[in-house]
Short mmCIF file of all heavy atoms in Angstrom, two decimals:
data_model
loop_
_atom_site.label_atom_id
_atom_site.label_comp_id
_atom_site.label_asym_id
_atom_site.label_seq_id
_atom_site.Cartn_x
_atom_site.Cartn_y
_atom_site.Cartn_z
N MET A 1 0.80 -1.19 0.00
CA MET A 1 0.00 0.00 0.00
C MET A 1 0.85 1.26 0.00
O MET A 1 0.57 2.19 0.72
CB MET A 1 -0.86 0.00 1.25
CG MET A 1 -2.00 -0.92 1.18
SD MET A 1 -3.35 0.13 1.53
CE MET A 1 -4.64 -0.95 1.55
N SER A 2 1.84 1.28 -0.77
CA SER A 2 2.66 2.48 -0.83
C SER A 2 2.18 3.35 -1.98
O SER A 2 2.00 2.88 -3.11
CB SER A 2 4.14 2.12 -1.01
OG SER A 2 4.31 1.48 -2.25
N GLY A 3 1.93 4.62 -1.66
CA GLY A 3 1.49 5.56 -2.67
C GLY A 3 2.69 6.29 -3.25
O GLY A 3 3.84 6.04 -2.89
N ASP A 4 2.41 7.15 -4.17
CA ASP A 4 3.48 7.94 -4.75
C ASP A 4 3.93 9.00 -3.75
O ASP A 4 3.12 9.62 -3.07
CB ASP A 4 3.00 8.64 -6.02
CG ASP A 4 2.72 7.64 -7.13
OD1 ASP A 4 3.35 6.57 -7.13
OD2 ASP A 4 1.87 7.95 -7.99
N VAL A 5 5.22 9.17 -3.68
CA VAL A 5 5.77 10.19 -2.80
C VAL A 5 5.64 11.53 -3.51
O VAL A 5 6.03 11.68 -4.67
CB VAL A 5 7.26 9.89 -2.48
CG1 VAL A 5 7.84 11.00 -1.63
CG2 VAL A 5 7.39 8.55 -1.80
N VAL A 6 5.07 12.51 -2.80
CA VAL A 6 4.82 13.81 -3.39
C VAL A 6 5.54 14.87 -2.58
O VAL A 6 5.45 14.90 -1.35
CB VAL A 6 3.29 14.12 -3.39
CG1 VAL A 6 3.03 15.50 -3.95
CG2 VAL A 6 2.54 13.05 -4.16
N ASN A 7 6.27 15.71 -3.27
CA ASN A 7 6.92 16.84 -2.63
C ASN A 7 5.86 17.93 -2.46
O ASN A 7 5.31 18.45 -3.43
CB ASN A 7 8.08 17.33 -3.51
CG ASN A 7 8.90 18.38 -2.83
OD1 ASN A 7 8.40 19.12 -1.97
ND2 ASN A 7 10.17 18.47 -3.22
N LEU A 8 5.56 18.28 -1.21
CA LEU A 8 4.48 19.23 -0.94
C LEU A 8 4.78 20.62 -1.50
O LEU A 8 3.88 21.32 -1.94
CB LEU A 8 4.21 19.30 0.55
CG LEU A 8 3.61 18.03 1.17
CD1 LEU A 8 3.44 18.21 2.67
CD2 LEU A 8 2.30 17.68 0.51
N ARG A 9 6.04 21.02 -1.50
CA ARG A 9 6.40 22.33 -2.05
C ARG A 9 6.07 22.39 -3.53
O ARG A 9 5.46 23.34 -4.01
CB ARG A 9 7.89 22.61 -1.80
CG ARG A 9 8.37 23.95 -2.34
CD ARG A 9 9.86 24.16 -2.06
NE ARG A 9 10.70 23.04 -2.45
CZ ARG A 9 11.18 22.82 -3.68
NH1 ARG A 9 10.88 23.63 -4.65
NH2 ARG A 9 11.94 21.79 -3.93
N GLN A 10 6.46 21.34 -4.26
CA GLN A 10 6.16 21.29 -5.68
C GLN A 10 4.65 21.19 -5.93
O GLN A 10 4.12 21.80 -6.87
CB GLN A 10 6.87 20.11 -6.33
CG GLN A 10 8.37 20.28 -6.41
CD GLN A 10 9.05 19.03 -6.95
OE1 GLN A 10 8.44 17.97 -7.05
NE2 GLN A 10 10.32 19.18 -7.32
N PHE A 11 3.95 20.47 -5.09
CA PHE A 11 2.50 20.34 -5.22
C PHE A 11 1.82 21.70 -5.05
O PHE A 11 0.94 22.06 -5.82
CB PHE A 11 2.00 19.34 -4.17
CG PHE A 11 0.51 19.13 -4.20
CD1 PHE A 11 -0.07 18.35 -5.19
CD2 PHE A 11 -0.30 19.71 -3.24
CE1 PHE A 11 -1.44 18.15 -5.22
CE2 PHE A 11 -1.66 19.53 -3.27
CZ PHE A 11 -2.23 18.74 -4.25
N ARG A 12 2.25 22.45 -4.04
CA ARG A 12 1.67 23.78 -3.81
C ARG A 12 1.99 24.73 -4.97
O ARG A 12 1.13 25.50 -5.40
CB ARG A 12 2.17 24.36 -2.49
CG ARG A 12 1.49 23.75 -1.28
CD ARG A 12 1.78 24.53 -0.04
NE ARG A 12 3.13 24.34 0.44
CZ ARG A 12 3.49 23.47 1.39
NH1 ARG A 12 2.58 22.72 1.97
NH2 ARG A 12 4.73 23.36 1.75
N LYS A 13 3.21 24.68 -5.47
CA LYS A 13 3.58 25.53 -6.60
C LYS A 13 2.74 25.18 -7.83
O LYS A 13 2.30 26.06 -8.56
CB LYS A 13 5.07 25.40 -6.93
CG LYS A 13 5.96 26.14 -5.98
CD LYS A 13 7.40 26.06 -6.45
CE LYS A 13 8.30 26.89 -5.57
NZ LYS A 13 9.68 26.91 -6.07
N ARG A 14 2.56 23.90 -8.09
CA ARG A 14 1.77 23.45 -9.23
C ARG A 14 0.32 23.96 -9.11
O ARG A 14 -0.26 24.44 -10.08
CB ARG A 14 1.80 21.94 -9.32
CG ARG A 14 1.33 21.40 -10.63
CD ARG A 14 1.51 19.89 -10.77
NE ARG A 14 2.74 19.42 -10.15
CZ ARG A 14 2.84 18.37 -9.32
NH1 ARG A 14 1.76 17.66 -9.02
NH2 ARG A 14 3.98 18.01 -8.81
N ASN A 15 -0.24 23.85 -7.90
CA ASN A 15 -1.60 24.33 -7.69
C ASN A 15 -1.68 25.85 -7.85
O ASN A 15 -2.65 26.37 -8.41
CB ASN A 15 -2.11 23.93 -6.31
CG ASN A 15 -2.54 22.48 -6.27
OD1 ASN A 15 -2.72 21.85 -7.31
ND2 ASN A 15 -2.70 21.95 -5.08
N ALA A 16 -0.67 26.57 -7.37
CA ALA A 16 -0.66 28.03 -7.49
C ALA A 16 -0.59 28.43 -8.97
O ALA A 16 -1.28 29.37 -9.40
CB ALA A 16 0.52 28.62 -6.73
N ARG A 17 0.23 27.74 -9.75
CA ARG A 17 0.32 28.03 -11.19
C ARG A 17 -1.02 27.78 -11.89
O ARG A 17 -1.43 28.55 -12.75
CB ARG A 17 1.40 27.18 -11.85
CG ARG A 17 2.79 27.68 -11.59
CD ARG A 17 3.81 26.93 -12.46
NE ARG A 17 5.09 26.93 -11.78
CZ ARG A 17 5.67 25.87 -11.22
NH1 ARG A 17 5.09 24.69 -11.28
NH2 ARG A 17 6.83 25.97 -10.63
N ALA A 18 -1.68 26.70 -11.51
CA ALA A 18 -2.97 26.37 -12.12
C ALA A 18 -4.01 27.45 -11.78
O ALA A 18 -4.80 27.85 -12.64
CB ALA A 18 -3.45 25.00 -11.63
N GLU A 19 -4.00 27.94 -10.55
CA GLU A 19 -4.93 29.00 -10.15
C GLU A 19 -4.64 30.30 -10.91
O GLU A 19 -5.56 30.98 -11.36
CB GLU A 19 -4.85 29.26 -8.65
CG GLU A 19 -5.50 28.18 -7.81
CD GLU A 19 -6.99 28.07 -8.07
OE1 GLU A 19 -7.66 29.12 -8.20
OE2 GLU A 19 -7.49 26.94 -8.13
N LYS A 20 -3.35 30.62 -11.06
CA LYS A 20 -2.99 31.83 -11.80
C LYS A 20 -3.42 31.71 -13.25
O LYS A 20 -3.88 32.68 -13.86
CB LYS A 20 -1.49 32.09 -11.72
CG LYS A 20 -1.03 32.67 -10.41
CD LYS A 20 0.44 32.97 -10.45
CE LYS A 20 0.93 33.52 -9.13
NZ LYS A 20 2.36 33.84 -9.15
N GLU A 21 -3.29 30.53 -13.84
CA GLU A 21 -3.69 30.33 -15.23
C GLU A 21 -5.20 30.47 -15.38
O GLU A 21 -5.68 31.05 -16.35
CB GLU A 21 -3.23 28.97 -15.72
CG GLU A 21 -3.54 28.69 -17.17
CD GLU A 21 -2.97 29.74 -18.13
OE1 GLU A 21 -1.86 30.25 -17.89
OE2 GLU A 21 -3.66 30.04 -19.13
N LYS A 22 -5.97 29.96 -14.41
CA LYS A 22 -7.42 30.13 -14.45
C LYS A 22 -7.80 31.61 -14.40
O LYS A 22 -8.65 32.07 -15.16
CB LYS A 22 -8.08 29.42 -13.26
CG LYS A 22 -8.32 27.97 -13.44
CD LYS A 22 -9.18 27.45 -12.30
CE LYS A 22 -8.75 26.08 -11.87
NZ LYS A 22 -9.46 25.61 -10.68
N GLN A 23 -7.14 32.35 -13.52
CA GLN A 23 -7.41 33.78 -13.40
C GLN A 23 -7.02 34.51 -14.68
O GLN A 23 -7.73 35.40 -15.14
CB GLN A 23 -6.65 34.37 -12.20
CG GLN A 23 -6.94 35.82 -11.94
CD GLN A 23 -8.37 36.07 -11.55
OE1 GLN A 23 -8.96 35.30 -10.82
NE2 GLN A 23 -8.94 37.15 -12.05
N ALA A 24 -5.91 34.14 -15.26
CA ALA A 24 -5.46 34.76 -16.51
C ALA A 24 -6.46 34.51 -17.63
O ALA A 24 -6.76 35.40 -18.42
CB ALA A 24 -4.08 34.24 -16.89
N GLU A 25 -7.00 33.31 -17.70
CA GLU A 25 -7.98 32.99 -18.73
C GLU A 25 -9.25 33.82 -18.54
O GLU A 25 -9.80 34.34 -19.51
CB GLU A 25 -8.32 31.49 -18.67
CG GLU A 25 -9.30 31.04 -19.73
CD GLU A 25 -8.77 31.21 -21.14
OE1 GLU A 25 -7.55 31.15 -21.35
OE2 GLU A 25 -9.60 31.44 -22.05
N GLN A 26 -9.68 33.99 -17.30
CA GLN A 26 -10.85 34.82 -17.04
C GLN A 26 -10.59 36.27 -17.42
O GLN A 26 -11.46 36.94 -17.98
CB GLN A 26 -11.25 34.73 -15.57
CG GLN A 26 -11.84 33.39 -15.19
CD GLN A 26 -12.11 33.27 -13.70
OE1 GLN A 26 -11.74 34.15 -12.93
NE2 GLN A 26 -12.75 32.20 -13.31
N ASN A 27 -9.39 36.77 -17.14
CA ASN A 27 -9.04 38.14 -17.51
C ASN A 27 -8.98 38.31 -19.03
O ASN A 27 -9.39 39.35 -19.54
CB ASN A 27 -7.71 38.55 -16.89
CG ASN A 27 -7.82 38.79 -15.41
OD1 ASN A 27 -8.92 38.94 -14.87
ND2 ASN A 27 -6.69 38.81 -14.73
N ARG A 28 -8.49 37.31 -19.73
CA ARG A 28 -8.45 37.39 -21.19
C ARG A 28 -9.85 37.51 -21.76
O ARG A 28 -10.10 38.27 -22.69
CB ARG A 28 -7.76 36.16 -21.78
CG ARG A 28 -6.26 36.20 -21.70
CD ARG A 28 -5.65 35.02 -22.45
NE ARG A 28 -4.49 34.58 -21.69
CZ ARG A 28 -4.39 33.43 -21.04
NH1 ARG A 28 -5.37 32.55 -21.07
NH2 ARG A 28 -3.31 33.13 -20.36
N ILE A 29 -10.77 36.76 -21.18
CA ILE A 29 -12.16 36.80 -21.65
C ILE A 29 -12.79 38.15 -21.30
O ILE A 29 -13.48 38.75 -22.12
CB ILE A 29 -12.97 35.64 -21.04
CG1 ILE A 29 -12.47 34.31 -21.60
CG2 ILE A 29 -14.45 35.81 -21.30
CD1 ILE A 29 -13.01 33.10 -20.88
N SER A 30 -12.54 38.62 -20.08
CA SER A 30 -13.19 39.84 -19.61
C SER A 30 -12.62 41.09 -20.24
O SER A 30 -13.36 41.99 -20.63
CB SER A 30 -13.05 39.95 -18.09
OG SER A 30 -13.66 38.86 -17.46
N PHE A 31 -11.30 41.21 -20.31
CA PHE A 31 -10.66 42.46 -20.69
C PHE A 31 -9.97 42.43 -22.04
O PHE A 31 -9.67 43.48 -22.59
CB PHE A 31 -9.63 42.87 -19.63
CG PHE A 31 -10.22 42.99 -18.26
CD1 PHE A 31 -9.88 42.09 -17.28
CD2 PHE A 31 -11.10 44.01 -17.96
CE1 PHE A 31 -10.41 42.20 -16.01
CE2 PHE A 31 -11.63 44.12 -16.70
CZ PHE A 31 -11.29 43.22 -15.72
N GLY A 32 -9.71 41.30 -22.56
CA GLY A 32 -8.91 41.20 -23.79
C GLY A 32 -9.72 41.57 -25.02
O GLY A 32 -10.80 41.05 -25.24
N ARG A 33 -9.20 42.49 -25.79
CA ARG A 33 -9.79 42.83 -27.07
C ARG A 33 -8.66 42.91 -28.08
O ARG A 33 -7.56 43.32 -27.76
CB ARG A 33 -10.50 44.19 -27.02
CG ARG A 33 -11.67 44.21 -26.08
CD ARG A 33 -12.48 45.47 -26.19
NE ARG A 33 -11.67 46.65 -26.39
CZ ARG A 33 -12.17 47.82 -26.72
NH1 ARG A 33 -13.44 47.98 -26.87
NH2 ARG A 33 -11.38 48.87 -26.89
N THR A 34 -8.97 42.55 -29.30
CA THR A 34 -7.95 42.59 -30.33
C THR A 34 -7.72 44.04 -30.75
O THR A 34 -8.52 44.93 -30.46
CB THR A 34 -8.37 41.77 -31.56
OG1 THR A 34 -9.54 42.36 -32.12
CG2 THR A 34 -8.64 40.33 -31.19
N LYS A 35 -6.64 44.26 -31.45
CA LYS A 35 -6.32 45.61 -31.93
C LYS A 35 -7.39 46.09 -32.89
O LYS A 35 -7.76 47.26 -32.89
CB LYS A 35 -4.95 45.59 -32.61
CG LYS A 35 -4.43 46.94 -32.98
CD LYS A 35 -3.01 46.86 -33.51
CE LYS A 35 -2.45 48.23 -33.80
NZ LYS A 35 -1.08 48.17 -34.26
N ALA A 36 -7.92 45.19 -33.70
CA ALA A 36 -8.97 45.55 -34.65
C ALA A 36 -10.24 46.00 -33.92
O ALA A 36 -10.89 46.97 -34.32
CB ALA A 36 -9.28 44.37 -35.56
N GLU A 37 -10.59 45.31 -32.85
CA GLU A 37 -11.77 45.70 -32.07
C GLU A 37 -11.57 47.07 -31.44
O GLU A 37 -12.50 47.89 -31.42
CB GLU A 37 -12.05 44.67 -30.99
CG GLU A 37 -12.56 43.35 -31.52
CD GLU A 37 -12.63 42.27 -30.47
OE1 GLU A 37 -11.88 42.34 -29.47
OE2 GLU A 37 -13.44 41.35 -30.64
N LYS A 38 -10.38 47.33 -30.92
CA LYS A 38 -10.10 48.62 -30.31
C LYS A 38 -10.16 49.75 -31.34
O LYS A 38 -10.74 50.80 -31.10
CB LYS A 38 -8.73 48.62 -29.63
CG LYS A 38 -8.66 47.77 -28.39
CD LYS A 38 -7.27 47.76 -27.83
CE LYS A 38 -7.13 46.75 -26.70
NZ LYS A 38 -5.77 46.67 -26.20
N SER A 39 -9.58 49.52 -32.52
CA SER A 39 -9.58 50.56 -33.55
C SER A 39 -10.99 50.79 -34.09
O SER A 39 -11.36 51.92 -34.40
CB SER A 39 -8.62 50.22 -34.68
OG SER A 39 -9.02 49.04 -35.32
N LEU A 40 -11.80 49.74 -34.19
CA LEU A 40 -13.18 49.89 -34.62
C LEU A 40 -13.97 50.74 -33.63
O LEU A 40 -14.71 51.64 -34.02
CB LEU A 40 -13.84 48.52 -34.78
CG LEU A 40 -15.33 48.53 -35.14
CD1 LEU A 40 -15.54 49.18 -36.51
CD2 LEU A 40 -15.90 47.14 -35.13
N THR A 41 -13.79 50.48 -32.35
CA THR A 41 -14.47 51.27 -31.33
C THR A 41 -14.04 52.73 -31.39
O THR A 41 -14.87 53.63 -31.30
CB THR A 41 -14.16 50.70 -29.93
OG1 THR A 41 -14.58 49.33 -29.89
CG2 THR A 41 -14.88 51.46 -28.84
N ASP A 42 -12.74 52.97 -31.57
CA ASP A 42 -12.24 54.35 -31.67
C ASP A 42 -12.84 55.05 -32.89
O ASP A 42 -13.24 56.22 -32.81
CB ASP A 42 -10.72 54.37 -31.76
CG ASP A 42 -10.06 53.98 -30.44
OD1 ASP A 42 -10.74 54.04 -29.40
OD2 ASP A 42 -8.87 53.62 -30.48
N ALA A 43 -12.92 54.35 -34.02
CA ALA A 43 -13.48 54.95 -35.23
C ALA A 43 -14.97 55.26 -35.05
O ALA A 43 -15.43 56.33 -35.48
CB ALA A 43 -13.28 54.00 -36.41
N LEU A 44 -15.70 54.36 -34.43
CA LEU A 44 -17.13 54.60 -34.21
C LEU A 44 -17.35 55.78 -33.26
O LEU A 44 -18.25 56.60 -33.47
CB LEU A 44 -17.81 53.35 -33.66
CG LEU A 44 -17.93 52.18 -34.63
CD1 LEU A 44 -18.49 50.95 -33.93
CD2 LEU A 44 -18.81 52.56 -35.80
N ASN A 45 -16.51 55.89 -32.23
CA ASN A 45 -16.62 57.01 -31.30
C ASN A 45 -16.30 58.32 -32.00
O ASN A 45 -16.97 59.34 -31.76
CB ASN A 45 -15.70 56.81 -30.10
CG ASN A 45 -16.20 55.73 -29.17
OD1 ASN A 45 -17.36 55.36 -29.20
ND2 ASN A 45 -15.32 55.21 -28.33
N ALA A 46 -15.29 58.34 -32.85
CA ALA A 46 -14.93 59.56 -33.58
C ALA A 46 -16.05 59.97 -34.53
O ALA A 46 -16.38 61.15 -34.66
CB ALA A 46 -13.63 59.34 -34.35
N LYS A 47 -16.65 58.98 -35.20
CA LYS A 47 -17.75 59.27 -36.12
C LYS A 47 -18.95 59.84 -35.37
O LYS A 47 -19.58 60.80 -35.83
CB LYS A 47 -18.15 57.99 -36.86
CG LYS A 47 -19.23 58.21 -37.89
CD LYS A 47 -19.55 56.93 -38.63
CE LYS A 47 -20.65 57.19 -39.66
NZ LYS A 47 -21.01 55.96 -40.36
N ALA A 48 -19.26 59.29 -34.21
CA ALA A 48 -20.39 59.78 -33.43
C ALA A 48 -20.12 61.20 -32.93
O ALA A 48 -21.02 62.05 -32.94
CB ALA A 48 -20.64 58.84 -32.25
N ALA A 49 -18.89 61.48 -32.50
CA ALA A 49 -18.54 62.82 -32.03
C ALA A 49 -18.63 63.83 -33.17
O ALA A 49 -19.11 64.96 -32.99
CB ALA A 49 -17.14 62.82 -31.43
N LYS A 50 -18.20 63.44 -34.35
CA LYS A 50 -18.26 64.33 -35.51
C LYS A 50 -19.71 64.62 -35.88
O LYS A 50 -20.07 65.77 -36.17
CB LYS A 50 -17.53 63.69 -36.70
CG LYS A 50 -17.44 64.58 -37.91
CD LYS A 50 -16.64 63.90 -39.01
CE LYS A 50 -16.58 64.79 -40.24
NZ LYS A 50 -15.89 64.12 -41.35
N ALA A 51 -20.55 63.61 -35.87
CA ALA A 51 -21.97 63.80 -36.18
C ALA A 51 -22.63 64.71 -35.15
O ALA A 51 -23.46 65.55 -35.48
CB ALA A 51 -22.68 62.45 -36.25
N LEU A 52 -22.25 64.57 -33.91
CA LEU A 52 -22.79 65.41 -32.84
C LEU A 52 -22.36 66.86 -33.03
O LEU A 52 -23.17 67.78 -32.89
CB LEU A 52 -22.33 64.90 -31.48
CG LEU A 52 -22.86 65.65 -30.26
CD1 LEU A 52 -24.38 65.50 -30.17
CD2 LEU A 52 -22.21 65.12 -29.01
N ASP A 53 -21.10 67.08 -33.38
CA ASP A 53 -20.59 68.44 -33.58
C ASP A 53 -21.21 69.09 -34.82
O ASP A 53 -21.39 70.31 -34.85
CB ASP A 53 -19.06 68.43 -33.72
CG ASP A 53 -18.38 68.19 -32.39
OD1 ASP A 53 -19.03 68.38 -31.34
OD2 ASP A 53 -17.19 67.82 -32.40
N GLN A 54 -21.55 68.31 -35.82
CA GLN A 54 -22.14 68.87 -37.03
C GLN A 54 -23.54 69.43 -36.76
O GLN A 54 -23.96 70.39 -37.40
CB GLN A 54 -22.23 67.81 -38.13
CG GLN A 54 -20.91 67.49 -38.75
CD GLN A 54 -21.00 66.36 -39.75
OE1 GLN A 54 -22.01 65.67 -39.84
NE2 GLN A 54 -19.93 66.14 -40.50
N GLY A 55 -24.23 68.88 -35.82
CA GLY A 55 -25.58 69.34 -35.51
C GLY A 55 -25.62 70.43 -34.46
O GLY A 55 -26.69 70.90 -34.08
N ARG A 56 -24.48 70.86 -33.97
CA ARG A 56 -24.41 71.85 -32.90
C ARG A 56 -24.68 73.25 -33.45
O ARG A 56 -24.20 73.63 -34.51
CB ARG A 56 -23.02 71.82 -32.26
CG ARG A 56 -22.89 72.70 -31.05
CD ARG A 56 -21.62 72.41 -30.36
NE ARG A 56 -21.65 70.98 -29.98
CZ ARG A 56 -20.98 70.48 -28.98
NH1 ARG A 56 -20.19 71.23 -28.28
NH2 ARG A 56 -21.06 69.21 -28.70
N ARG A 57 -25.46 74.01 -32.72
CA ARG A 57 -25.74 75.39 -33.09
C ARG A 57 -24.89 76.30 -32.23
O ARG A 57 -24.71 76.06 -31.05
CB ARG A 57 -27.20 75.72 -32.86
CG ARG A 57 -28.11 74.92 -33.77
CD ARG A 57 -29.53 75.27 -33.53
NE ARG A 57 -29.73 76.69 -33.79
CZ ARG A 57 -30.85 77.34 -33.54
NH1 ARG A 57 -31.88 76.71 -33.01
NH2 ARG A 57 -30.97 78.63 -33.82
N GLU A 58 -24.40 77.37 -32.84
CA GLU A 58 -23.60 78.34 -32.09
C GLU A 58 -24.53 79.35 -31.44
O GLU A 58 -25.53 79.75 -32.02
CB GLU A 58 -22.64 79.07 -33.03
CG GLU A 58 -21.61 78.15 -33.66
CD GLU A 58 -20.68 78.89 -34.58
OE1 GLU A 58 -20.59 80.11 -34.50
OE2 GLU A 58 -20.05 78.21 -35.41
N PRO A 59 -24.23 79.80 -30.24
CA PRO A 59 -25.06 80.81 -29.60
C PRO A 59 -25.00 82.15 -30.33
O PRO A 59 -24.02 82.45 -31.03
CB PRO A 59 -24.49 80.94 -28.19
CG PRO A 59 -23.28 80.11 -28.15
CD PRO A 59 -23.18 79.31 -29.40
N ALA A 60 -26.02 82.99 -30.20
CA ALA A 60 -26.11 84.27 -30.91
C ALA A 60 -24.99 85.22 -30.51
O ALA A 60 -24.56 86.06 -31.30
CB ALA A 60 -27.46 84.91 -30.67
N ALA A 61 -24.48 85.14 -29.30
CA ALA A 61 -23.43 86.04 -28.84
C ALA A 61 -22.13 85.84 -29.61
O ALA A 61 -21.33 86.77 -29.74
CB ALA A 61 -23.18 85.85 -27.35
N ASP A 62 -21.91 84.66 -30.14
CA ASP A 62 -20.68 84.39 -30.89
C ASP A 62 -20.72 84.95 -32.31
O ASP A 62 -19.70 85.11 -32.94
CB ASP A 62 -20.42 82.88 -30.96
CG ASP A 62 -20.03 82.32 -29.61
OD1 ASP A 62 -19.71 83.11 -28.71
OD2 ASP A 62 -20.05 81.08 -29.46
N ARG A 63 -21.91 85.26 -32.81
CA ARG A 63 -22.06 85.78 -34.16
C ARG A 63 -22.28 87.30 -34.10
O ARG A 63 -23.32 87.75 -33.59
CB ARG A 63 -23.23 85.11 -34.88
CG ARG A 63 -22.94 83.63 -35.12
CD ARG A 63 -24.08 82.96 -35.78
NE ARG A 63 -25.17 82.85 -34.76
CZ ARG A 63 -26.26 82.15 -34.91
NH1 ARG A 63 -26.50 81.53 -36.03
NH2 ARG A 63 -27.15 82.09 -33.96
N PRO A 64 -21.35 88.10 -34.58
CA PRO A 64 -21.47 89.56 -34.44
C PRO A 64 -22.61 90.15 -35.26
O PRO A 64 -23.18 91.15 -34.88
CB PRO A 64 -20.13 90.09 -34.92
CG PRO A 64 -19.51 88.99 -35.69
CD PRO A 64 -20.11 87.70 -35.19
N ASP A 65 -23.00 89.53 -36.37
CA ASP A 65 -24.05 90.10 -37.22
C ASP A 65 -25.44 89.90 -36.64
O ASP A 65 -26.39 90.58 -37.01
CB ASP A 65 -23.97 89.53 -38.63
CG ASP A 65 -24.08 88.02 -38.64
OD1 ASP A 65 -23.61 87.40 -37.68
OD2 ASP A 65 -24.60 87.46 -39.62
N GLU A 66 -25.61 88.96 -35.68
CA GLU A 66 -26.91 88.71 -35.09
C GLU A 66 -26.90 88.94 -33.59
O GLU A 66 -27.64 88.29 -32.86
CB GLU A 66 -27.35 87.28 -35.39
CG GLU A 66 -27.55 86.98 -36.87
CD GLU A 66 -27.99 85.55 -37.11
OE1 GLU A 66 -28.44 84.91 -36.13
OE2 GLU A 66 -27.89 85.08 -38.24
N ALA A 67 -26.10 89.85 -33.12
CA ALA A 67 -26.01 90.11 -31.68
C ALA A 67 -27.31 90.72 -31.19
O ALA A 67 -27.93 91.54 -31.86
CB ALA A 67 -24.84 91.04 -31.40
N GLU A 68 -27.72 90.28 -29.99
CA GLU A 68 -28.95 90.81 -29.41
C GLU A 68 -28.71 92.19 -28.83
O GLU A 68 -27.65 92.49 -28.32
CB GLU A 68 -29.43 89.86 -28.30
CG GLU A 68 -29.87 88.51 -28.84
CD GLU A 68 -30.37 87.63 -27.72
OE1 GLU A 68 -31.05 88.14 -26.82
OE2 GLU A 68 -30.04 86.44 -27.73
N ASP A 69 -29.72 93.09 -28.88
CA ASP A 69 -29.61 94.43 -28.32
C ASP A 69 -30.27 94.50 -26.98
O ASP A 69 -31.23 93.99 -26.66
CB ASP A 69 -30.22 95.47 -29.26
CG ASP A 69 -29.37 95.59 -30.52
OD1 ASP A 69 -28.15 95.59 -30.39
OD2 ASP A 69 -29.96 95.69 -31.62
#
């Protein structure tokens, strides 16, 4: 009835590495985005900001020909 001899230090290190790998995988899923995804988001944000600025009206005080009396 002899079992395999296990070095507890190595066993703990192996378990710690496995836990770190699980956490890394979860972080990759949660936070990881490809460069293409990031650039697409940036382009969409820039397009939305441009469309918003195009519809903006300037106040009458900024236009000297239509200043209020």
Side-chain angles (χ1 to χ4, degrees):
M1 285 235 183
S2 64
D4 293 332
V5 177
V6 178
N7 187 332
L8 293 178
R9 179 180 50 84
Q10 290 175 347
F11 179 76
R12 283 192 287 264
K13 284 185 175 184
R14 195 174 323 132
N15 282 345
R17 283 189 207 109
E19 286 297 319
K20 283 184 182 181
E21 183 56 36
K22 276 190 218 174
Q23 184 64 39
E25 182 63 29
Q26 289 175 353
N27 287 344
R28 281 187 217 111
I29 292 169
S30 299
F31 303 111
R33 296 189 321 169
T34 63
K35 188 174 184 178
E37 290 171 334
K38 290 177 188 176
S39 63
L40 176 63
T41 302
D42 290 341
L44 291 174
N45 288 342
K47 183 178 179 182
K50 185 177 179 184
L52 182 65
D53 286 342
Q54 286 175 348
R56 186 170 301 206
R57 295 180 61 187
E58 296 180 18
D62 290 346
R63 293 178 288 190
D65 57 328
E66 297 180 17
E68 294 182 39
D69 292 318

